[in-house]
Amino acid sequence: MSIYYILSLFKKKKYTFYLYDSWSGMDKKFLLKNEYSSVGKWENLKFDQTQNNLSKFKNKIVYNKGYINKNFKKFINPNKISWLSIDLNSAAPTLDCLNFFYKKMEKNGIIIFDDYGSQSYIDTKKVIDNFFKNKKEYIFQLPTGQAIVIIV
């Protein structure tokens, strides 16, 4: 739903949005032990349904179907990024995204972390905090549980 609203805001601008999702539920082999309760979660999200729901934006979207776990070489990726939203509900794929995308972020670009302040995803918060520990950026936690980082 969130990408639908974002795309609606940018419909007159020339942007390409890159979506990454397994569209097949969460897999135990990519989760930490304390995240195992998420196995099978989100199986109801179907690729063709997502494409149908976003059909009016089809010329602005590149779909990357598959698990994040260091598979970025097989995906179609942007060279530069101004806005990145990470909502993976798991620590290891979040770190994979940061390791891959951070160097592509433009100055004043924004990273949004959906799960940052959730007690259910404390390991995701630890991964994010550790990643930015020796970097110039500051993590702004929002009352919603999300966090925003502005690239300097």
Side-chain angles (χ1 to χ4, degrees):
M1 289 296 291
S2 58
I3 193 62
Y4 180 87
Y5 294 115
I6 299 290
L7 285 163
S8 295
L9 291 172
F10 286 90
K11 63 184 170 190
K12 293 183 181 180
K13 306 221 184 231
K14 292 186 179 188
Y15 285 98
T16 301
F17 289 83
Y18 295 79
L19 303 184
Y20 300 79
D21 201 306
S22 68
W23 282 282
S24 60
M26 296 182 78
D27 190 326
K28 184 177 182 176
K29 65 184 169 192
F30 305 120
L31 302 174
L32 300 175
K33 283 185 181 180
N34 64 345
E35 296 172 333
Y36 283 178
S37 63
S38 294
V39 171
K41 241 183 182 178
W42 313 112
E43 283 181 333
N44 61 322
L45 300 177
K46 302 297 180 207
F47 182 65
D48 58 342
Q49 184 180 10
T50 301
Q51 284 184 308
N52 185 52
N53 291 343
L54 299 173
S55 62
K56 72 180 191 177
F57 308 108
K58 65 182 174 187
N59 295 330
K60 291 182 173 267
I61 300 174
V62 173
Y63 292 95
N64 289 290
K65 186 177 184 216
Y67 288 101
I68 297 295
N69 66 314
K70 300 180 178 91
N71 282 323
F72 288 108
K73 289 183 181 178
K74 70 179 190 178
F75 295 142
I76 299 169
N77 301 295
N79 293 321
K80 298 211 178 256
I81 301 170
S82 58
W83 177 73
L84 176 64
S85 178
I86 300 177
D87 182 8
L88 296 169
N89 306 100
S90 55
T94 296
L95 182 58
D96 288 340
C97 283
L98 285 170
N99 285 328
F100 184 79
F101 288 121
Y102 179 77
K103 60 187 169 273
K104 295 175 177 264
M105 294 297 299
E106 295 179 333
K107 185 177 180 183
N108 298 319
I110 296 172
I111 303 175
I112 299 171
F113 298 99
D114 190 63
D115 308 317
Y116 185 81
S118 171
Q119 288 300 313
S120 301
Y121 304 110
I122 193 71
D123 288 312
T124 298
K125 181 185 185 308
K126 288 177 186 175
V127 160
I128 296 165
D129 288 346
N130 190 50
F131 183 85
F132 285 101
K133 184 169 61 175
N134 296 317
K135 295 189 175 33
K136 297 177 186 177
E137 289 83 10
Y138 180 78
I139 302 167
F140 299 94
Q141 185 171 349
L142 303 174
T144 61
Q146 296 171 309
I148 295 175
V149 170
I150 300 171
I151 304 303
V152 295

